[in-house]
Structure formats: structure tokens, C-alpha cells
Amino acid sequence: ENMNLPIKRVIIYKNGVAYFERQGQVKDEQIIELSFKPTEMNDVLRSLRVVDSDGGKISHISYPAAESPSSFSVNGKEEGGVHTAFSESVLARFKGAHLKIETGDAKTILARLISLRSKRTADGEIKTYVELLSDDKIINIEFDSIKSLSLQDEQTKQNLNKQLDEQLNASKTDVRKVAIKCKGAGERHVSVSYMLENPVWKSSYRIYIKKKPANNQQQATTTSSSLEYILEGWACIDNVSEDDWSDVALTLVSGSPISFGYDLYNPILNVRPSSFSDLGDVKHQQMQ
């Protein structure tokens, strides 16, 4: 059964970050599940530290990818002042699907999608072409000429609806689950620590002035020596997490440790040269 460790220690710094430490007991093999906002995942991956004491070990840590293969955007886009009903990235996900395509010149095409490719025209403009299999013939049409399309496969329609439902549910919860699997024998103490972006703590001061208790021999006149001054300092903190900070050791630090942002959560893909590059055209001309 998955469990959530309570927060036991919090250190808030003046530069907008905070250190959180969770502690608790696990038994045998158990999974610790923590929830974070998508915007917090980079900080978690940069600073996460897990210690399974008393002979235990951490088997693995898993979390959902930043962009699931089953989730995508279906927003339209502006192309040269003309609004298209879908983007190229959406259409590219239906490779192999049976489509009914309506073009701007009132043509209807029944075909299967093969691929999308870009080509530079003679005037230097890059256009996207849709490669289709229609009546055992491979044809190409301009992407911008597509007015609308509809899916002809029931299974493809069901998959699309399922993917949209997953995207809708993800946007409602808007959390990422980080699962930490602990392996060992018996009960053990486990601590999980990480740093997150956090509102800075603020200070507020008050001065109280009151009369000192007067002795019987003293006169009832008020002088500076007969007054008592009390300076009171308050620390104002903001708990923007989903956890209650009860029974937590809280430390406020006026210093600002060096902290940098770095994207470890979102996938980074290296851009490779296209086979339809100008260099390829030049080589082809030289060979001729």
C-alpha cells in the first residue's frame, strides 16, 4: 500500500526557496508516493534526497513524463491569416489512419495517412505536404489546402477520445506523482528531502510601552526611567503546499544561498538536419 510521509522539518530562505524534509517509518517493501505540481518537478529532480536507514535501500524512483505520448494539444493555429482547424503535430499522430479529407477547392479524398514532410519551394518558402495512400496510389497535397478531415476508423476515434479524457483529467488534478520504492526487512526509518520554490518569509515588529510597577516610596510621576519598553518581532510565513505544517521544526534563514534554475523535467530532443535540406539539393546538382 502506498504511503505519504509527513513533513517534519522546513527551512525557509530569503531568496524564494525552502528546504522540506519528510520522515516516517516503512515496513518491508513499501512505496512512498508524493504529489507535486508540474512547475515543481524541476526543483524536485535537482534536489531530491532519499535515505532508507537500518539496512534498507531505495529500489527505484519513478514519475510521469512531462509530456505523455497519449497527450497532445488540439488547438488550431494561424497560418498566413487563415485559421486551420488543427496543427501539423496533431495530424502527424494519425499515421496509418483512414481519413476523409475535404480540401479548399471542394474536393473529397478518402485515403490513409502516410507521413508529413516539408519542402522548400523555388521562392524559398517552406511548405508542408501530406503524403496519402488513395486507391493504391501515393498522392501529395499541401497541408494548408486541407479544410477539414474526419476519422473513418472506430478504433481510432475511441483512442482519440480516450487520450482527450486523459488530458482533461490531468488538467483537473494538475499533479505529478513521484513514487519511491523502498526495499528491506522489518520496520525502518526513511527520510525524504528536497527544495522547492517558496514565498519569502517576512518580518513585522511592534513596540509596547508600559509603566513599571511603582513602589510605595516612589512618586506617581511618569519619567523615562519608570517606563518599560518591549520589542516584539513577528515572522510571517506562507504555506502554499497541500500539507499542514503541524509538529514541524521551522527555521527561518535571512541569508540567500545561491540557487539556479535548470530544466531536468521536460524532454530535450536534439534537432537533426532534414534530408530535404539545401545542402542535399546542392550535392544532388553536383552529382548530375
Side-chain angles (χ1 to χ4, degrees):
E1 183 181 354
N2 297 353
M3 63 176 298
N4 185 12
L5 296 180
I7 295 177
K8 291 298 183 181
R9 187 183 181 193
V10 177
I11 303 176
I12 304 177
Y13 298 91
K14 275 289 190 179
N15 66 338
V17 297
Y19 169 86
F20 297 87
E21 185 173 323
R22 297 173 178 266
Q23 298 180 17
Q25 299 293 123
V26 297
K27 186 177 182 180
D28 299 331
E29 294 190 10
Q30 203 158 13
I31 295 178
I32 301 171
E33 191 174 77
L34 305 177
S35 299
F36 298 99
K37 300 174 185 176
T39 54
E40 297 174 334
M41 287 300 297
N42 277 317
D43 285 324
V44 171
L45 295 178
R46 281 195 297 266
S47 59
L48 183 64
R49 179 175 178 267
V50 186
V51 178
D52 189 341
S53 306
D54 305 321
K57 68 176 183 178
I58 305 302
S59 172
H60 64 269
I61 299 175
S62 61
Y63 55 90
E67 181 180 1
S68 167
S70 63
S71 64
F72 54 88
S73 170
V74 292
N75 294 329
K77 63 172 185 175
E78 291 288 336
E79 291 281 355
V82 179
H83 185 79
T84 60
F86 45 85
S87 67
E88 298 172 16
S89 60
V90 172
L91 182 59
R93 294 177 182 271
F94 296 114
K95 289 182 180 179
H98 292 268
L99 305 174
K100 180 180 179 182
I101 299 175
E102 302 285 345
T103 62
D105 53 0
K107 289 184 180 179
T108 301
I109 302 174
L110 296 176
R112 298 187 69 179
L113 176 62
I114 299 176
S115 65
L116 276 76
R117 61 184 180 89
S118 298
K119 186 176 181 180
R120 190 183 298 273
T121 61
D123 56 0
E125 183 183 0
I126 297 178
K127 288 190 175 182
T128 301
Y129 291 88
V130 182
E131 196 171 30
L132 302 167
L133 177 63
S134 178
D135 295 329
D136 297 329
K137 295 180 180 179
I138 297 178
I139 61 174
N140 290 276
I141 63 172
E142 287 189 24
F143 174 80
D144 292 339
S145 68
I146 300 176
K147 184 179 179 181
S148 66
L149 65 83
S150 57
L151 302 174
Q152 301 299 295
D153 300 320
E154 282 300 322
Q155 186 63 46
T156 306
K157 293 179 184 178
Q158 293 176 9
N159 292 339
L160 176 60
N161 285 320
K162 181 181 178 182
Q163 292 163 4
L164 292 173
D165 289 340
E166 290 177 358
Q167 188 179 41
L168 177 62
N169 293 332
S171 64
K172 286 181 178 179
T173 55
D174 202 28
V175 295
R176 301 293 184 267
K177 301 283 188 180
V178 176
I180 305 170
K181 186 170 183 180
C182 305
K183 297 184 70 174
E187 288 193 2
R188 306 177 311 281
H189 181 268
V190 174
S191 66
V192 179
S193 61
Y194 49 86
M195 297 190 75
L196 294 177
E197 188 177 49
N198 195 80
V200 299
W201 65 276
K202 303 169 285 290
S203 55
S204 175
Y205 299 95
R206 295 154 179 79
I207 297 178
Y208 297 93
I209 304 174
K210 67 178 182 178
K211 291 182 180 181
K212 293 180 180 179
N215 297 329
N216 293 334
Q217 290 131 355
Q218 291 179 337
Q219 295 181 353
T221 57
T222 301
T223 62
S224 60
S225 60
S226 64
L227 297 177
E228 184 178 9
Y229 300 87
I230 300 176
L231 176 63
E232 188 177 83
W234 286 44
C236 305
I237 62 173
D238 300 284
N239 178 10
V240 295
S241 68
E242 299 294 330
D243 297 89
D244 292 329
W245 291 0
S246 57
D247 193 23
V248 169
L250 178 63
T251 303
L252 305 178
V253 180
S254 59
S256 299
I258 298 175
S259 178
F260 297 98
Y262 186 74
D263 193 349
L264 291 176
Y265 182 52
N266 292 293
I268 299 176
L269 301 178
N270 191 22
V271 179
R272 297 174 293 170
S274 172
S275 60
F276 299 98
S277 64
D278 292 337
L279 181 60
D281 294 338
V282 171
K283 286 183 177 180
H284 181 69
Q285 293 173 5
Q286 290 176 348
M287 290 176 65
Q288 289 179 342

